Amino acid sequence: EMQVVESGGGSVQPGGSVRLSCAASGFTFSDYYMCWVRQAPGKGLEYLSGISRDGVTHYGDSVKDRFTISRDNAKNMLYLQMNSLKIEDTAMYYCAIGCNYGKRGQGTQVTVSS
């Protein structure tokens, strides 16, 4: 069974940093494009960033220059380094297999508040 489990969320002050992790299992991780998406309270899913099998990255405008996506194919891990966090970054964060929003995990909550 294809599965991803997100972790690393928590509460942080504006301007702070958080690193999210996504552990993949049940599929050949290195074969898949991977994405991070988020859902803020009362809003729909928002694309944040994607990374190809060989590490080519892409970012949505809202997180460009603040977030960095990376992957470790040997460890079946996906990461999202989030810097300069803003209150509006408060959301549930998910990783998505093949950037298919239906193939995401349970998510990890990030709350940015002072």
Side-chain angles (χ1 to χ4, degrees), residues 10-98:
S11 295
V12 61
Q13 292 185 337
S17 298
V18 171
R19 188 194 194 206
L20 304 183
S21 298
C22 168
S25 62
F27 63 102
T28 305
F29 178 73
S30 58
D31 284 349
Y32 284 79
Y33 192 92
M34 296 293 294
C35 289
W36 284 99
V37 301
R38 69 185 178 189
Q39 187 166 26
K43 296 188 177 181
L45 288 167
E46 176 190 10
Y47 167 84
L48 300 177
S49 181
I51 186 167
S52 70
R53 296 179 298 175
D54 55 357
V56 177
T57 60
H58 179 268
Y59 296 94
D61 289 341
S62 65
V63 303
K64 196 175 296 182
D65 298 327
R66 297 191 299 126
F67 292 8
T68 302
I69 191 172
S70 62
R71 68 190 297 162
D72 185 335
N73 288 337
K75 295 182 178 180
N76 292 345
M77 294 294 294
L78 179 72
Y79 304 100
L80 186 68
Q81 177 67 44
M82 306 191 298
N83 299 329
S84 302
L85 284 164
K86 306 174 182 179
I87 291 176
E88 52 263 41
D89 292 318
T90 295
M92 187 71 79
Y93 286 72
Y94 304 91
C95 58
I97 303 168

